[in-house]
Amino acid sequence: MEFFPSGSFTQEIPSIVEYQADLSYCLGNDKAIPDLCIEVVITSGSPIKLQKYKLMQVPEVWFWEDGTFEVYCLREQEYEKLFKSEFLPELDLSLLNRCLFLSSALEAVREFRQGIQQ
């Protein structure tokens, strides 16, 4: 799948909402609004931030906190918590999570590639 990382730049609707995701991606083709935003929750960010994403109409938001992913998909103007991504339904989030904790980036990539080939 082709994807376009849009990083952590600020998205906004002037005078209405402004947010900055830790990571964001457009899937398939580049767009003004990303398909997927990821929040790494350390000191800020939580499902409360979903209200900002809703105003921007971001279809899918992931929160990574305490070694766990929470996936939220926008449905009929409200986010619904799901157990897997709608954009990446084949992605094993537990494998991804496990690889995030490896100290070596090379080891993480190897483990992830091995895991998705099984």
Side-chain angles (χ1 to χ4, degrees):
M1 172 185 292
E2 189 162 7
F3 66 95
F4 300 85
S6 46
S8 61
F9 69 91
T10 300
Q11 298 272 336
E12 69 177 302
I13 300 173
S15 302
I16 297 176
V17 67
E18 180 179 314
Y19 76 90
Q20 183 175 1
D22 292 311
L23 300 166
S24 54
Y25 300 91
C26 295
L27 306 175
N29 58 350
D30 204 5
K31 305 170 185 92
I33 303 296
D35 294 306
L36 169 64
C37 289
I38 301 173
E39 289 285 331
V40 178
V41 181
I42 296 173
T43 59
S44 65
S46 70
I48 293 168
K49 196 170 182 181
L50 286 173
Q51 297 308 312
K52 291 183 178 186
Y53 289 111
K54 182 169 74 170
L55 290 171
M56 294 294 293
Q57 294 292 291
V58 175
E60 190 163 305
V61 181
W62 298 2
F63 290 92
W64 188 71
E65 182 176 18
D66 296 329
T68 304
F69 282 104
E70 290 185 348
V71 176
Y72 293 86
C73 292
L74 188 60
R75 299 224 174 113
E76 298 182 25
Q77 300 304 312
E78 293 298 326
Y79 281 98
E80 181 179 336
K81 186 176 178 180
L82 302 176
F83 293 102
K84 65 180 183 175
S85 169
E86 287 190 339
F87 280 111
L88 305 166
E90 302 291 319
L91 179 62
D92 180 345
L93 290 173
S94 63
L95 170 64
L96 177 62
N97 192 54
R98 191 169 62 248
C99 293
L100 289 172
F101 282 104
L102 296 174
S103 59
S104 161
L106 181 59
E107 182 183 353
V109 169
R110 284 181 183 156
E111 173 122 357
F112 187 76
R113 284 183 177 159
Q114 182 180 12
I116 62 174
Q117 290 173 352
Q118 294 178 353

